[in-house]
Amino acid sequence: QVADRPFQISEWMALIPNQWTAESSPIIAAYGMGLQGWDASYAFAMDYDHFTPTIQSHGVYNVTSPTQLALYPALASMIYNNDIKESKTILNRNIDTNDLKQGRVNITDKTAQQSDVKRFDAEVPSQLLAVGKTALSFNNPASKKRMENYQRFIDTIGKVIKSVTGQLLWNYSGKGYFTINAPGTKGIVGFMDSGIYQLGEISLQTTNDFAVILLTSLQQETPLATAKRILLTVMARAENTGMQYSDAHTELLQLGTAPILLEAVAVRINIKRKKGKRPTVYVLDHSGNRTGETIAVTKNTVYIDSKIYKTMYYEIEFKK
C-alpha cells in the first residue's frame, strides 16, 4: 500500500471445497478495509444477485455462496459506518527512485505463485498487518517510520496479536480466531472454545467449533450500547446435499447437488443495558425480513439455535 494513494485488492477468494470459507470476507473487511484503510475490494466472481443453489458457481469461485454473500449486509454496514478505526501508519518504507534507476533497492520482498495460490515473503513481519497500517512511499524520506516497539502488540507466548486501535484481536493458538470489539460492531470469527467471550457490553458463548457471529448496529453512527435495533448474523459451514469428505476432511469425495445445507450455529448472547430497556428478538428470513416469529429473552440473555429457526439473520430491538 503506497502512502497517500488509493489501494485495492482484486479478485481474491477463499476457495471451496475448503469448509472454512466464511472466515474470509470478515478478514478482508475488518483488517483490510478497516484497519489497513484499503479503498476497494473485488472478490471473484459474483454472477448473480441471489444465493446460488449449490456452493459452486463459476467453478470454485463463488461470491454468491451463503458463506460470502450472506455476511455482506453486516460487513458493509460495519465499513460504511466507520465502525473499524483506520490505523495510523505504524511502519513506512521509503524508496528513492534515483536508487531504483541505478538498480539499488533498499527493501526485500518476494512473491511466489503456483496458479491461484500466492505466497508473499518480506522483511516486514506479516503479523504487522494485524497490528496496524504498513505502507510504502517514494522520494519522501521524512515520511519514513519504523515501529521499534511493535512487539508489545504481538504476544508470541500467548499467541495473540492486538491492533493498535484496540478493536481487533487475533488469537493464533490452536486453529485460530479473531474478535471485533468496535462500538458499532462486535463479533467473533474462526475456531473457538465453549468459553464466554466478553466484548464490551456484549458477551457471546457458542458450542460451535467454527463460526462467524456478528452483531451490528442498524442505526448509523449509533453504538451497540444504545442502538434500538441490532442485526445478528450467524454463519458456519455450508455444503451441497450429499457432499462427502474423507474422514480427515482433506479430500472431497462427492460433490453433491442442490440445495445447499447450512450448518446450524448455537449462540448465547447477553447484552448489558440500563433497567427498563427490554429486547425483543425477531427471526428474519434469508432476505432480512421479519417472519413474525420471536425468541424468548431472559434477563437480557437470548439463546439462538439456527437448527430451530433455519436462518442466519436475527433482529434485536430494544423497547421501553
Side-chain angles (χ1 to χ4, degrees):
Q1 184 173 7
V2 177
D4 301 321
R5 294 292 186 273
F7 180 87
Q8 70 177 38
I9 179 170
S10 176
E11 298 179 89
W12 63 269
M13 177 54 58
L15 301 181
I16 57 173
N18 166 22
Q19 295 180 292
W20 324 114
T21 57
E23 69 181 6
S24 59
S25 54
I27 292 173
I28 294 292
Y31 283 94
M33 306 292 288
L35 185 68
Q36 292 293 324
W38 294 350
D39 298 280
S41 163
Y42 298 96
F44 183 85
M46 189 166 184
D47 299 322
Y48 308 102
D49 60 356
H50 55 79
F51 299 127
T52 51
T54 57
I55 62 171
Q56 76 276 7
S57 175
H58 208 99
V60 294
Y61 312 94
N62 186 16
V63 176
T64 40
S65 165
T67 58
Q68 294 278 323
L69 189 62
L71 300 177
Y72 283 15
L75 298 177
S77 177
M78 178 181 76
I79 294 303
Y80 283 106
N81 287 336
N82 296 312
D83 290 340
I84 306 298
K85 291 181 182 178
E86 181 178 336
S87 166
K88 63 181 180 181
T89 300
I90 62 171
L91 187 147
N92 182 79
R93 296 180 292 171
N94 184 66
I95 298 172
D96 190 312
T97 53
N98 288 323
D99 287 341
L100 287 180
K101 293 176 182 178
Q102 301 300 319
R104 297 191 298 268
V105 182
N106 63 343
I107 64 174
T108 302
D109 289 346
K110 295 181 179 179
T111 302
Q113 180 170 340
Q114 183 177 2
S115 186
D116 280 341
V117 179
K118 300 175 178 66
R119 187 180 74 248
F120 302 95
D121 296 315
E123 62 181 3
V124 176
S126 59
Q127 293 93 330
L128 280 189
L129 290 173
V131 175
K133 183 188 290 188
T134 63
L136 295 171
S137 63
F138 290 89
N139 300 327
N140 188 11
S143 70
K144 187 174 182 179
K145 296 179 182 179
R146 287 281 180 179
M147 186 175 180
E148 303 296 341
N149 197 25
Y150 70 81
Q151 290 91 345
R152 66 191 176 100
F153 294 98
I154 303 177
D155 179 357
T156 57
I157 298 175
K159 296 186 177 181
V160 170
I161 303 174
K162 297 179 181 179
S163 68
V164 293
T165 62
Q167 294 182 334
L168 302 174
L169 182 148
W170 194 308
N171 185 311
Y172 62 98
S173 64
K175 293 184 178 180
Y177 67 87
F178 72 91
T179 59
I180 300 172
N181 190 6
T185 299
K186 299 181 188 294
I188 186 166
V189 177
F191 300 87
M192 57 210 79
D193 58 34
S194 58
I196 297 175
Y197 295 86
Q198 192 68 48
L199 303 172
E201 70 281 0
I202 292 176
S203 66
L204 304 172
Q205 186 177 26
T206 180
T207 54
N208 284 69
D209 294 328
F210 169 85
V212 176
I213 303 169
L214 300 170
L215 291 107
T216 309
S217 172
L218 289 175
Q219 293 175 270
Q220 193 170 9
E221 299 181 356
T222 303
L224 290 168
T226 57
K228 294 180 180 179
R229 297 172 59 232
I230 296 170
L231 173 65
L232 168 65
T233 306
V234 298
M235 184 60 62
R237 293 178 293 179
E239 61 182 36
N240 297 329
T241 300
M243 204 169 194
Q244 293 183 12
Y245 289 85
S246 62
D247 291 341
H249 288 259
T250 57
E251 183 180 0
L252 180 64
L253 303 179
Q254 294 290 336
L255 180 60
T257 58
I260 292 174
L261 304 177
L262 297 182
E263 181 181 15
V265 176
V267 58
R268 190 179 306 277
I269 300 171
N270 177 268
I271 304 177
K272 294 181 180 179
R273 283 288 179 100
K274 294 180 180 179
K275 291 183 178 180
K277 296 287 186 178
R278 303 190 54 157
T280 301
V281 179
Y282 297 93
V283 178
L284 308 182
D285 63 20
H286 287 197
S287 296
N289 301 305
R290 291 182 182 179
T291 64
E293 188 174 10
T294 59
I295 303 174
V297 179
T298 303
K299 295 182 179 180
N300 283 1
T301 298
V302 60
Y303 177 75
I304 291 173
D305 187 348
S306 58
K307 183 185 294 183
I308 298 172
Y309 305 108
K310 293 180 171 54
T311 184
M312 70 284 284
Y313 297 133
Y314 305 84
E315 181 186 350
I316 303 171
E317 183 178 43
F318 281 87
K319 300 177 181 178
K320 290 186 179 180

